[in-house]
Amino acid sequence: MNFNSLRYILFLALNVLLYYRLPPKARNWLLLLSSYCFYMCWNLKYVLLMLLSTAITYACGLLVSASAWGRKRLWLVLCLMANLSILFFFKYYNFASGLLARFSGMLGLGLSPPLLDVLLPVGISFYTFQALGYTMDVYRGDVPAERNFARYALFVSFFPQLVAGPIERSGNILRQLKEVHCFSIDNLREGVLPVLWGLFKKMVLADNLAVIVNTIYSSPSGHTGPQLILATGSFAIQIFCDFSAYSDIARGSAKMLGFDLMENFRCPYFATSIQDFWRRWHISLSSWFKDYLYLPLGGSRRGKVRRILNLLIVFTVSGLWHGAALTFVAWGILNGLYQAASILLRPLRNRLYKLLHIPDNAWWLTLLRVLATFSLTCLAWVLFRANSLTNAMTVYSIILQWIANIPRMGLEFSFGDTGVSEAAQHMLGLFSALMLGAEWLVCNKGLWRRLNGTVALRYAVYFLLITSILIFGSYGSGYDPQDFVYFQF
């Protein structure tokens, strides 16, 4: 059941209506039933897998809290091993088997582990990390162990953020599940706008940009440098619109039910450094890795070398979390190297600024930093989007050759066949610029709050968003619905 479907809109409306009509004690049961029905729309049998993960972390949370048999750490380790083993089996076994076969072939050993024909459960990385975060919070004493199994099961499976986040913290959602949420027209109003905005970003921008990206990245060797630059830039906007759209719709849906989900994006393409980018992009995952991996490894407390090593470990694991492929691992490592370079070059940069009397807050310097950060991010996105490392190297090679030939051939931007018309390219460029501007206003000027406070302006925005979706959105007969990109993770 995709968010960008009439089926989901009706599903959400029915849940909102029933939620406020039922007595408070029955509401969590309604949401739990709806959440499991929502997940079963993708695969009926894999709902048992989510239930198993829920049961394991619930039981281990109680055992950790009680320090059963004086083995508090043991229960945490067993919980981590059980859940990560399930995740490895479904997501990484075939990847690991392929690597083992490749390396054994290089060594002449001839090992060939069997491959498994299993379907990757939708959202398994998201709900697994959310459940593990709860167990570690209980171990640290940050939250008490939840004794109500139904409430805990709803925390793991809450349908707005179940399959693509944000990865919520137990201290936030479990607390809200214990509260009585009274019907509020303000909650409905505050929820509608993010939902419409998310649908606009997904259906008008992400799905249309996907046509350009898929056309060019399907055979990068057959395209020119300008085409590959266009496709890479289009993918940067596509993946932001796609993923942030899911988060917007999730937050808006939850708000209609009286729940507040954490912010997951904060204008990442206005970041002034790669470090700043990761404070703004997929905030729930970045903060998860910071709290549960980076800081336990020692963070930045053990010197510069150890800090860089910890960052490389975290970003390598982050790349692997995104997908069982070498391209994702390379993408993670490259982002880690960006961070390492920033740390090592920072003293030199500061001395250079001081020598040249360059104010650190100069507007033109901020603009240069934003452009440089976006360019580096796009270079990394090539690895994220490419079908293989070979294809990624082809993209890099063609772009570099085109840049090297600029002094001799001059600047020539001929995009040719991209899968969409030239008029559609211009329309997507305009909408992308408007979207980024609106995102900046949301983050820095409280745009949603201002719109919700002005009736005429709010309904005008509703009308513009709905009209744009109906005219320019991807849907209807002959349309192949594009799943949200992060469903595969």
Short mmCIF file of all heavy atoms in Angstrom, two decimals, residues 8 59 86 110-111 115 136 147 152 158 162 171-172 212 230 250 327 338 353 368 432 457 481:
data_model
loop_
_atom_site.label_atom_id
_atom_site.label_comp_id
_atom_site.label_asym_id
_atom_site.label_seq_id
_atom_site.Cartn_x
_atom_site.Cartn_y
_atom_site.Cartn_z
N TYR A 8 -4.26 4.32 0.12
CA TYR A 8 -3.69 4.75 1.40
C TYR A 8 -4.46 5.93 1.97
O TYR A 8 -4.68 6.00 3.19
CB TYR A 8 -2.21 5.12 1.26
CG TYR A 8 -1.66 5.66 2.56
CD1 TYR A 8 -1.38 4.81 3.62
CD2 TYR A 8 -1.50 7.04 2.76
CE1 TYR A 8 -0.93 5.30 4.84
CE2 TYR A 8 -1.05 7.53 3.97
CZ TYR A 8 -0.77 6.66 5.01
OH TYR A 8 -0.34 7.15 6.22
N ALA A 59 11.00 -9.32 24.98
CA ALA A 59 11.45 -10.21 26.05
C ALA A 59 12.83 -9.81 26.56
O ALA A 59 13.07 -9.78 27.79
CB ALA A 59 11.48 -11.65 25.54
N ILE A 86 18.87 -12.31 11.84
CA ILE A 86 17.70 -12.30 10.96
C ILE A 86 17.93 -11.32 9.81
O ILE A 86 17.68 -11.63 8.64
CB ILE A 86 16.43 -11.91 11.75
CG1 ILE A 86 16.10 -13.00 12.77
CG2 ILE A 86 15.25 -11.69 10.80
CD1 ILE A 86 14.98 -12.62 13.73
N GLY A 110 37.95 -22.29 -5.09
CA GLY A 110 36.77 -22.82 -5.75
C GLY A 110 35.56 -23.00 -4.86
O GLY A 110 34.69 -23.83 -5.14
N LEU A 111 35.47 -22.24 -3.76
CA LEU A 111 34.29 -22.33 -2.89
C LEU A 111 33.09 -21.67 -3.57
O LEU A 111 33.22 -20.61 -4.18
CB LEU A 111 34.57 -21.66 -1.55
CG LEU A 111 35.67 -22.28 -0.68
CD1 LEU A 111 35.88 -21.45 0.57
CD2 LEU A 111 35.30 -23.71 -0.31
N LEU A 115 23.21 -19.97 -3.00
CA LEU A 115 22.45 -18.74 -2.89
C LEU A 115 21.01 -19.07 -2.51
O LEU A 115 20.49 -20.12 -2.88
CB LEU A 115 22.50 -17.96 -4.21
CG LEU A 115 23.89 -17.51 -4.67
CD1 LEU A 115 23.79 -16.77 -5.99
CD2 LEU A 115 24.56 -16.63 -3.63
N MET A 136 18.69 -1.12 23.61
CA MET A 136 19.88 -0.43 24.12
C MET A 136 19.51 0.72 25.04
O MET A 136 20.23 1.02 26.00
CB MET A 136 20.75 0.04 22.94
CG MET A 136 21.46 -1.12 22.25
SD MET A 136 22.62 -0.63 20.95
CE MET A 136 21.50 -0.45 19.56
N ARG A 147 6.17 -3.07 29.59
CA ARG A 147 5.58 -4.35 30.00
C ARG A 147 4.31 -4.70 29.24
O ARG A 147 3.89 -5.85 29.22
CB ARG A 147 5.29 -4.32 31.50
CG ARG A 147 6.56 -4.12 32.31
CD ARG A 147 6.35 -4.27 33.80
NE ARG A 147 7.63 -4.13 34.50
CZ ARG A 147 8.52 -5.10 34.64
NH1 ARG A 147 8.26 -6.29 34.12
NH2 ARG A 147 9.66 -4.89 35.29
N TYR A 152 4.08 -2.13 23.01
CA TYR A 152 5.42 -2.23 22.44
C TYR A 152 5.35 -2.67 20.97
O TYR A 152 6.09 -2.15 20.12
CB TYR A 152 6.27 -3.23 23.23
CG TYR A 152 7.63 -3.41 22.60
CD1 TYR A 152 8.60 -2.41 22.70
CD2 TYR A 152 7.94 -4.56 21.88
CE1 TYR A 152 9.83 -2.56 22.09
CE2 TYR A 152 9.17 -4.71 21.28
CZ TYR A 152 10.11 -3.71 21.39
OH TYR A 152 11.33 -3.84 20.77
N PHE A 158 4.14 0.89 14.07
CA PHE A 158 3.28 2.05 13.81
C PHE A 158 3.31 2.39 12.31
O PHE A 158 4.34 2.75 11.77
CB PHE A 158 3.75 3.22 14.65
CG PHE A 158 2.84 4.42 14.62
CD1 PHE A 158 1.46 4.28 14.67
CD2 PHE A 158 3.38 5.70 14.56
CE1 PHE A 158 0.63 5.40 14.66
CE2 PHE A 158 2.56 6.81 14.55
CZ PHE A 158 1.18 6.66 14.60
N LEU A 162 6.54 2.87 9.42
CA LEU A 162 6.97 1.48 9.54
C LEU A 162 8.03 1.09 8.52
O LEU A 162 9.06 0.51 8.88
CB LEU A 162 5.75 0.55 9.42
CG LEU A 162 6.03 -0.96 9.32
CD1 LEU A 162 6.81 -1.44 10.53
CD2 LEU A 162 4.72 -1.73 9.20
N GLY A 171 11.84 6.57 23.67
CA GLY A 171 11.43 7.59 24.62
C GLY A 171 10.40 8.55 24.05
O GLY A 171 9.65 9.18 24.80
N ASN A 172 10.35 8.66 22.73
CA ASN A 172 9.39 9.56 22.10
C ASN A 172 8.04 8.88 21.87
O ASN A 172 7.00 9.35 22.34
CB ASN A 172 9.96 10.08 20.78
CG ASN A 172 9.01 11.04 20.07
OD1 ASN A 172 8.25 11.77 20.70
ND2 ASN A 172 9.04 11.03 18.75
N ILE A 212 14.35 10.29 -16.21
CA ILE A 212 15.64 10.77 -16.72
C ILE A 212 16.77 9.92 -16.15
O ILE A 212 17.65 9.45 -16.89
CB ILE A 212 15.85 12.25 -16.34
CG1 ILE A 212 14.78 13.13 -16.98
CG2 ILE A 212 17.25 12.71 -16.74
CD1 ILE A 212 14.84 14.59 -16.55
N LEU A 230 23.56 15.71 -15.89
CA LEU A 230 22.13 15.96 -15.72
C LEU A 230 21.48 14.84 -14.92
O LEU A 230 20.69 15.09 -14.00
CB LEU A 230 21.45 16.08 -17.09
CG LEU A 230 19.92 16.16 -17.07
CD1 LEU A 230 19.45 17.44 -16.41
CD2 LEU A 230 19.35 16.04 -18.49
N ALA A 250 4.58 10.56 6.37
CA ALA A 250 4.55 9.84 7.65
C ALA A 250 4.28 10.79 8.80
O ALA A 250 3.43 10.52 9.66
CB ALA A 250 5.88 9.12 7.87
N THR A 327 28.60 -1.12 -4.25
CA THR A 327 28.39 0.30 -4.55
C THR A 327 27.99 1.06 -3.29
O THR A 327 28.46 2.18 -3.05
CB THR A 327 27.31 0.47 -5.62
OG1 THR A 327 26.15 -0.31 -5.26
CG2 THR A 327 27.81 0.02 -6.98
N TYR A 338 35.41 11.82 3.05
CA TYR A 338 35.10 13.26 3.05
C TYR A 338 35.26 13.84 4.46
O TYR A 338 35.86 14.91 4.64
CB TYR A 338 33.66 13.49 2.60
CG TYR A 338 33.39 13.37 1.12
CD1 TYR A 338 32.09 13.18 0.64
CD2 TYR A 338 34.42 13.45 0.17
CE1 TYR A 338 31.81 13.09 -0.71
CE2 TYR A 338 34.15 13.35 -1.19
CZ TYR A 338 32.84 13.16 -1.62
OH TYR A 338 32.57 13.06 -2.96
N TYR A 353 42.34 31.21 5.89
CA TYR A 353 41.36 32.28 6.09
C TYR A 353 41.97 33.45 6.85
O TYR A 353 41.73 34.62 6.52
CB TYR A 353 40.15 31.75 6.86
CG TYR A 353 39.23 30.85 6.07
CD1 TYR A 353 38.15 30.21 6.68
CD2 TYR A 353 39.43 30.62 4.71
CE1 TYR A 353 37.30 29.38 5.98
CE2 TYR A 353 38.59 29.78 3.99
CZ TYR A 353 37.52 29.17 4.63
OH TYR A 353 36.70 28.35 3.93
N LEU A 368 29.86 29.42 -1.72
CA LEU A 368 30.86 28.50 -2.27
C LEU A 368 30.85 27.17 -1.51
O LEU A 368 30.97 26.09 -2.11
CB LEU A 368 32.25 29.13 -2.20
CG LEU A 368 32.57 30.22 -3.23
CD1 LEU A 368 33.96 30.80 -2.98
CD2 LEU A 368 32.48 29.66 -4.66
N SER A 432 11.90 22.02 -9.27
CA SER A 432 12.96 21.65 -8.32
C SER A 432 13.47 22.88 -7.59
O SER A 432 13.69 22.84 -6.36
CB SER A 432 14.12 20.97 -9.06
OG SER A 432 13.71 19.74 -9.64
N LEU A 457 -4.56 31.85 2.60
CA LEU A 457 -3.29 31.41 2.03
C LEU A 457 -3.14 29.89 2.12
O LEU A 457 -2.64 29.25 1.18
CB LEU A 457 -2.14 32.09 2.76
CG LEU A 457 -0.74 31.93 2.16
CD1 LEU A 457 -0.72 32.41 0.72
CD2 LEU A 457 0.28 32.69 3.00
N PRO A 481 3.75 2.49 -11.12
CA PRO A 481 4.00 3.18 -9.85
C PRO A 481 5.42 2.97 -9.36
O PRO A 481 5.94 1.86 -9.35
CB PRO A 481 2.99 2.51 -8.89
CG PRO A 481 1.93 1.96 -9.78
CD PRO A 481 2.64 1.54 -11.03
#
